[in-house]
Amino acid sequence: MTDLMTAIDPRGLIRDSYVIEGITAGECRSIFLDWALFDDHEMAQADRIKALLDHYGEAAPDHPMTIVMRAGLEDQAQPKRRGGRKGRVE
């Protein structure tokens, strides 16, 4: 694993998900959430996800973790109004 991958995925959660045979999308979502919530990193999360996709996703484009990480990028790109007072009052 490169130094960048070690910094982005210090516990190797994402790396390990790619070697588990028969891993499901639900298991990948759980691993991804654990990875996303655990790490306090200087690099923006979207940039870290892109780096992981570049490193792992190109070799396994149909892997459930690749699909989960792509979805994580899409969700970040589409902010939605959540309501509340701040959304109604200028």
Side-chain angles (χ1 to χ4, degrees), residues 7-75:
I8 292 173
D9 186 21
R11 297 182 295 160
L13 295 175
I14 304 299
R15 178 195 66 221
D16 291 349
S17 73
Y18 278 94
V19 296
I20 297 171
E21 287 195 37
I23 193 167
T24 66
E27 292 166 329
C28 287
R29 282 190 296 273
S30 178
I31 291 168
F32 180 76
L33 182 61
D34 186 23
W35 170 83
L37 293 176
F38 173 78
D39 199 19
D40 181 22
H41 204 278
E42 293 177 10
M43 182 187 289
Q45 189 171 36
D47 293 337
R48 294 184 331 211
I49 295 170
K50 289 175 189 174
L52 289 167
L53 282 169
D54 288 345
H55 189 77
Y56 298 112
E58 289 182 12
D62 296 327
H63 191 280
M65 183 56 81
T66 302
I67 295 165
V68 166
M69 287 194 294
R70 284 187 192 134
L73 284 177
E74 290 173 10
D75 290 347

Side-chain angles (χ1 to χ4, degrees), residues 85-90:
R85 183 178 189 281
K86 188 174 182 179
R88 294 187 305 267
V89 178
E90 293 186 74

